[in-house]
């Protein structure tokens, strides 16, 4: 089979994090891209040999493109997905699918009308240990899921940001960007159909006025409950609980969060901060190409502990530690030779083998609904009941 | 100053866990006790040299007794505290203070009318690292508390129990017994005045039909939020996150939870289970006297992480790990030479130095209110607003 030919919209942070995947996985080939930064377009042609187009529309219209990978800022996803679908292109779109349920629905319906596929990712719910945990749960050996406990303490709010990323109305803050990972993982493990969300959000830094933290309780139609916390103001780093392995599957310095804050303090204004972010992305002057060696651990999204009726499953960067009446044992995950190869696995299964996506449009709309419910529960100070949930695909 | 002369009601589990304290701390002297088990009474006279009385009333009436230590089953606390106070005795009563707010109020008012002191403990909120964290927070160096995150995974439900301990109506289950620790710790650290509680409880084992787990969100009058989870069905053991040190400050086998379940499986009926519990307590045939060596770590109640405006404080069995803009550093707690000496510190401060208790009646009623709210929130499926809260003493 020939590689899947991708056209890329947006060569920024999301794309940058996917470069090792696109470089290393021979099942995909980047054939076109658009980004407003001329340097990024030039670097794209030089690195991947594809065509740097001068507009998003041109990428979508390019007959060489089979799938469009939408990696533009959150608020642009809807227009770009709709454009791609109208050109008959299948779409891989970064999480979150969109910023409103209406936009999600429009994207889903447009793709269905056009007969094009829609996959939402990368997100950390693609990670091999998450998928392994799903299989272990599905085996029935430990009974039904009763409680999922997830936490993640990061330096999220102090990484360099564009101003819109610090404005919730424009999709900024952790409810959109980070809950999209954590809630997708939790939904995959707890059955998918969230019944209610009770949450509190934190806006603890007036200089960066968006939600940097949340803590939440979710109930599921099957009776499971989940407890989820994200703290993007973390001085503490929960990667300490993940064998010192960072989100990207590589060893992380215990001092990393302090360094992130110190770097940001050296930046004087919004424009300089946005430029710093841009320069660290693909095609920028501070861009560091991916390391040649493959990580020896999987990517992850912090500690997740699944309590079933007859055992507890703890996700690690290399697999799942199982605690049950026999004691404890380790179920290793297959660490992908290429980072995030799990995304290409799903892309290939859908694009070349005719399978239904795990991270499809309706699934991902339901995750967006949970993310929005985090904000709404905190605002309204009450439980939010959900209406767009679907079960996890078999 | 002469030792405080204690009379003990109940020589069961709670007392058994306090034996090392009473044996090792010269500031207290046990002068009388009552327990329905004759063997326990005989062992008391032999070990401590006090008088084994033949009723609770007799201990309370004994003129040699200054303070009565009420360590009877939960549901008996109210009668025993009231009896002691009416005899003009000060009271140290085990947590939870009582099973209803009405009983708590009756105990508080009876002691006030009698002019007797009331301290509620032991609970793990007495532990040196908790008190150290309180002092660190009070220093103001890291700003206000924003989020407290606490979790504890134990084998609680599979330890040998009397039937009443598996019946919520009689004070059984984790909401009374274990939340009394965790909620007291959280209240001490987050300011004390809980505004609302949202919780879900788990009854996952039909053979032991009480709450064995809960997960909860608390908000505080000062704006802080707390996330608390207790899972007494744990195959997983959260002591792994506490340097492998168990709740009692001693090294714990990774296999301990499996062993607890295996032991219980060998027990054939309720009566045998209750007998097993009794025989392991003070005066029983399986009783193990306290180890001669002092533990090299403090007692604890699982991972607790306090996020302040400018730093995170993580409780450990030996102190507090501080994460802030300077990096991380460790604030050691004074590991008490005698386990739970912190209880005697407070007893002495109140009984001999005229200080107000930290764990007084009104404070502890407020913790009972939180414990009851856990149950009520789960039952009513909504937030519970609290009305009996008081701030943490300065």
């Amino acid at each position: 089979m020939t590689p899947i030919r991708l056209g890329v919209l947006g060569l920024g942070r999301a794309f940058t994090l996917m470069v090792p995947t696109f470089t290393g996985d021979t099942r995909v080939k980047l054939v076109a891209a658009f980004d407003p930064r001329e340097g990024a377009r030039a670097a794209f042609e030089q690195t991947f040999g594809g065509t740097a187009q001068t507009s998003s529309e041109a990428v979508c219209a390019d007959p060489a493109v089979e799938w469009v990978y939408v990696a533009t800022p959150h608020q642009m996803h809807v227009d770009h997905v709709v454009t791609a679908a109208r050109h008959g292109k299948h779409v891989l779109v970064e999480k979150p699918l969109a910023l409103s349920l209406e936009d999600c629905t429009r994207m889903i319906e447009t793709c269905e009308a056009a007969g094009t596929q829609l996959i939402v990712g990368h997100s950390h719910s693609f990670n091999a240990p998450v998928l392994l945990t799903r299989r272990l749960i599905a085996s029935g050996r430990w009974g039904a899921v009763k409680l999922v406990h997830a936490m993640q303490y990061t330096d999220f709010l102090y990484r360099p940001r564009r101003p819109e990323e610090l404005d919730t109305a424009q999709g900024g803050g952790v409810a959109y960007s980070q809950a999209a990972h954590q809630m997708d993982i939790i939904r995959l493990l707890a059955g998918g159909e969230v019944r209610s969300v009770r949450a509190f959000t934190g806006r603890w830094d007036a200089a960066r006025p968006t939600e940097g933290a949340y803590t939440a309780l979710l109930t599921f139609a099957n009776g499971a409950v989940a407890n989820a916390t994200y703290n993007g103001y973390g001085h503490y780093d929960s990667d300490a609980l993940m064998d010192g392995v960072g989100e990207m599957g590589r060893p992380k310095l215990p001092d990393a969060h302090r360094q992130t804050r110190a770097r940001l303090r050296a930046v004087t204004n919004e424009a300089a901060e946005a430029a710093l972010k841009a320069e660290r992305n693909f095609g920028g002057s501070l861009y560091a190409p991916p390391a040649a060696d493959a990580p020896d651990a999987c990517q992850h999204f912090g500690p997740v502990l699944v309590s079933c009726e007859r055992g507890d499953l703890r996700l690690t960067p290399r697999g799942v530690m199982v605690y049950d009446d026999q004691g404890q044992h380790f179920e290793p995950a297959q660490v992908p030779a290429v980072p995030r190869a799990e995304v290409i696995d799903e892309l290939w299964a859908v694009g070349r083998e005719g399978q239904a996506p795990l991270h499809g449009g309706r699934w991902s709309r339901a995750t967006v609904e949970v993310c929005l419910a985090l904000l709404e529960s905190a605002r309204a100070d009450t439980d939010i009941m959900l209406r767009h949930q679907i079960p996890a695909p078999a």
Side-chain angles (χ1 to χ4, degrees), chain A residues 7-351:
Chain A
V8 184
L9 302 187
L11 300 171
R13 193 74 201 147
F15 174 78
T16 301
L17 296 176
M18 285 297 287
V19 167
T21 318
F22 295 138
T23 308
D25 198 313
T26 56
R27 294 172 295 177
V28 287
K29 183 174 168 54
L30 303 194
V31 296
F34 171 71
D35 190 280
R37 291 173 300 139
E38 193 183 329
R41 294 199 301 272
F44 177 82
E45 290 199 331
Q46 191 170 10
T47 307
F48 296 100
T51 309
Q53 300 283 5
T54 53
S55 72
S56 298
E57 181 92 28
V59 172
C60 296
D62 187 333
V65 170
E66 288 180 89
W67 284 72
V68 173
Y69 167 47
V70 177
T72 49
H74 302 163
Q75 70 276 20
M76 300 180 184
H77 287 180
V78 57
D79 284 346
H80 289 148
V81 169
V82 165
T83 301
R86 287 188 178 153
H87 282 91
K89 299 302 197 296
H90 306 297
V91 179
L92 172 67
V93 54
E94 276 289 328
K95 58 84 205 163
L97 178 53
L99 303 183
S100 73
L101 294 175
E102 295 69 25
D103 283 350
C104 290
T105 300
R106 188 166 155 236
M107 294 152 93
I108 293 165
E109 292 179 349
T110 304
C111 289
E112 285 180 351
T116 59
Q117 295 286 353
L118 179 59
I119 301 175
V120 183
H122 168 262
S123 81
H124 284 295
S125 67
F126 281 84
N127 295 339
V130 175
L131 301 178
L132 171 58
T133 306
R134 238 171 83 79
R135 291 194 298 276
L136 294 175
I137 293 168
S139 77
R141 181 167 160 193
W142 296 280
V145 172
K146 307 305 285 184
L147 175 67
V148 179
H149 189 272
M151 67 182 289
Q152 173 82 314
Y153 282 57
T154 75
D155 54 8
F156 177 83
L157 215 66
Y158 298 99
R159 299 173 196 159
R161 298 289 170 202
R162 298 185 307 275
E164 75 213 49
E165 294 179 282
L166 300 175
D167 177 2
T168 309
Q170 295 184 68
V174 296
Y176 293 105
S177 178
Q178 300 295 283
H181 292 295
Q182 199 180 42
M183 298 302 151
D184 219 60
I185 292 169
I186 289 171
R187 288 186 60 237
L188 272 179
L189 300 180
E193 293 180 277
V194 181
R195 186 191 71 103
S196 69
V197 172
R198 184 70 176 102
F200 298 95
T201 53
R203 288 174 171 246
W204 303 338
D205 185 344
R208 302 176 83 75
T210 185
E211 294 77 19
Y214 61 78
T215 187
L217 297 177
L218 283 65
T219 64
F220 287 80
N222 61 8
V225 175
N227 176 311
T229 298
Y230 188 95
N231 181 357
Y233 302 101
H235 290 87
Y236 174 70
D237 184 347
S238 52
D239 289 339
L241 305 182
M242 300 304 281
D243 306 336
V245 172
E247 203 172 312
M248 295 298 131
R250 295 189 182 270
K252 189 164 171 193
L253 292 175
D255 200 30
H257 289 191
R258 192 197 59 73
Q259 290 182 21
T260 301
R261 277 182 157 87
R263 264 196 303 272
L264 189 65
R265 265 193 297 275
V267 172
T268 49
N269 61 47
E270 275 184 1
E273 183 177 338
L276 174 61
K277 172 163 186 168
E279 291 305 325
R280 293 172 68 193
N281 287 341
F282 180 78
S285 60
L286 304 174
Y287 172 68
D293 60 317
D296 73 342
C298 302
Q299 300 201 0
H300 70 79
F301 203 70
V304 178
L305 186 56
V306 182
S307 295
C308 302
E309 291 169 298
R310 293 184 296 278
D312 295 329
L313 311 178
R314 183 171 66 84
L315 281 68
T316 83
R318 293 179 179 86
V320 180
M321 189 66 83
V322 177
Y323 307 81
D324 62 16
D325 279 348
Q326 275 66 57
Q328 55 178 280
H329 76 275
F330 186 66
E331 299 269 355
Q334 175 101 42
V335 179
V338 171
R340 300 189 175 180
E342 303 97 320
V343 177
I344 311 303
D345 292 345
E346 186 165 335
L347 182 67
W348 190 265
V350 174

